[in-house]
Structures are given as C-alpha cells and as structure tokens.
Amino acid sequence: MKKLFSILAVLLVATALFAGVTVKAGGTFAFANFKTPVDENSGLFKEEMNLKTSGFGFDAGVLADISDNLTAYAELSMVFPKDGDFKEGNGDWEKLSEGSDGLNIHFYNISAGVAYKLDFNAVKLAVGAGVSMSSAVVHNKFEGIEYKISHSVIGLDVLVDVKYMFTENIGAGVTINPQLGLFDIASGTSKMGELIKNDKITGIKVNFALPVTVGVSYTF
C-alpha cells in the first residue's frame, strides 16, 4: 500500500510538469465509524471495539491534470475530535470522556486517485475514485489505567470536488470524500504503573469515514 501511494505521488508530480495544477486548502469536518476485528486470544481485542467520532480540522489537496478530461488527485486531512462514542462487544454505548482523567483523539486520512472533470464555465466539477488510508488514535486515562488505541483502515474512496472560480486562478468550493475501509490494522497499549500490555490485530472489517472540506484553491 505504501508503494501504491508513492506511485500516485510520483504521478501527481509528473503530471504537474506538463499540465495544469490546482492546490487547495480549507477547514474540514469529518465523521468516522471504526470497528476492530476480533481475536479471542487477544488481551484488548477479544471483543469488537466500535468507535464513532467526529470533529473539525484542516485539509490540503492537489489536483493535477492528466488530460483535458482527467485529473489525478491527492487529499490529506487531519481532524481533532473532542470526544467520541465507544462500545465494546454487545455492551452499551459510552462517552470516551465519561470518567476520563485525560482524553486525546486525532483522526487523519490520506486518499489518492483519478477523477473525471466537468466544466460549467465558472463552476468546475471533478468526480472520481481511488484508494485511501484512514487512522484514528485514542489516548485515554481511565481508573488509573492509561490506554492508547491506534486504528488504521485501508480501503476505497470517492471524490466529489466542486468549486466556483472568482478569477481564472482563484476559486472556492467544497470537497466531499467518503471512504469505505476494508482492511484493518489495530494496535493497543494498556499501562498501569509498571505493568504494560501490548496487542495488535489485523483483518477484514468494513468501516466508514466521511471528510467534508470547505476551502479555497489556486490553479496554476
């Protein structure tokens, strides 16, 4: 997967040398629903962990024209939720902040692919699909135990990017980037005093994330 993202990055750089490039940045709101695989022999992942979280952050992206109708894209967003809803197995939903002595969450996502361009004069639209990697990291202290859960999801994404051009080069618009996670990599650490336990699990699991960005763009 790292090689795939590297190839896509090279593609964007290469096309930038021969065609128009749009760079954009803005504020992002993202929602994520992550579920871990299950391993009965695992200490932390004996039951499914389900996390729902949302928050605000930022996004940066690039669109690099391949032809008159096609463009390659790459998006990077990072969000900093204040709280989240958590459920383990068949238990009840709980707020992560409830009873917490210190909670920190961050969510980031990287996506890249190819999109088809539609030109409506001042309105520019790009619709495409590609691959994505999303990750949520939760660091929490609860009842004297410090937990850190890192959950990464690799899957597919769809890009809908629409912008209004105020001038030939400057525009403002919205980017919607829904992602369907298919392969999970989850790791966890629990620490109580000098006692530290580490667990890791991988597997197929369907997850979902939805970053929505409002921002400005500049086309070279």
Side-chain angles (χ1 to χ4, degrees):
M1 182 56 66
K2 289 183 179 180
K3 289 184 178 180
L4 179 57
F5 279 108
S6 297
I7 292 170
L8 288 167
V10 171
L11 174 64
L12 289 176
V13 173
T15 53
L17 298 176
F18 302 102
V21 176
T22 298
V23 294
K24 54 198 185 75
T28 298
F29 174 82
F31 168 81
N33 185 351
F34 283 175
K35 301 176 183 179
T36 64
V38 175
D39 182 356
E40 294 181 355
N41 298 317
S42 170
L44 287 175
F45 302 110
K46 289 182 178 180
E47 296 183 291
E48 179 184 84
M49 291 186 181
N50 193 339
L51 170 68
K52 294 180 181 179
T53 190
S54 61
F56 293 92
F58 63 87
D59 175 273
V62 177
L63 297 169
D65 290 350
I66 301 172
S67 68
D68 290 341
N69 296 320
L70 294 177
T71 185
Y73 69 85
E75 293 280 336
L76 168 65
S77 62
M78 182 166 285
V79 171
F80 305 94
K82 299 297 184 182
D83 204 347
D85 295 309
F86 174 80
K87 183 174 75 168
E88 189 171 7
N90 295 320
D92 297 327
W93 286 99
E94 299 178 8
K95 288 289 185 183
L96 285 172
S97 60
E98 188 173 342
S100 173
D101 297 321
L103 173 64
N104 180 270
I105 309 172
H106 67 266
F107 166 80
Y108 71 86
N109 118 275
I110 303 169
S111 63
V114 177
Y116 186 82
K117 300 187 300 177
L118 296 169
D119 192 336
F120 302 99
N121 296 321
V123 177
K124 312 295 183 182
L125 175 66
V127 179
V131 293
S132 66
M133 184 182 75
S134 302
S135 184
V137 179
V138 178
H139 192 178
N140 200 6
K141 296 179 181 179
F142 183 77
E143 295 182 351
I145 304 177
E146 185 176 350
Y147 296 96
K148 184 177 181 181
I149 305 294
S150 178
H151 190 176
S152 297
V153 180
I154 299 169
L156 306 174
D157 82 293
V158 173
L159 176 84
V160 179
D161 182 86
V162 57
K163 57 182 175 288
Y164 180 84
M165 304 300 296
F166 297 103
T167 70
E168 184 178 352
N169 304 104
I170 299 173
V174 177
T175 302
I176 304 173
N177 197 201
Q179 295 146 17
L180 184 67
L182 300 174
F183 183 76
D184 285 33
I185 305 168
S187 60
T189 300
S190 60
K191 180 180 179 181
M192 184 172 62
E194 299 297 321
L195 181 62
I196 300 176
K197 293 182 179 181
N198 296 295
D199 281 292
K200 185 174 182 179
I201 189 171
T202 61
I204 303 298
K205 200 75 174 180
V206 176
N207 293 279
F208 180 74
L210 177 61
V212 178
T213 300
V214 177
V216 296
S217 65
Y218 186 90
T219 301
F220 293 91

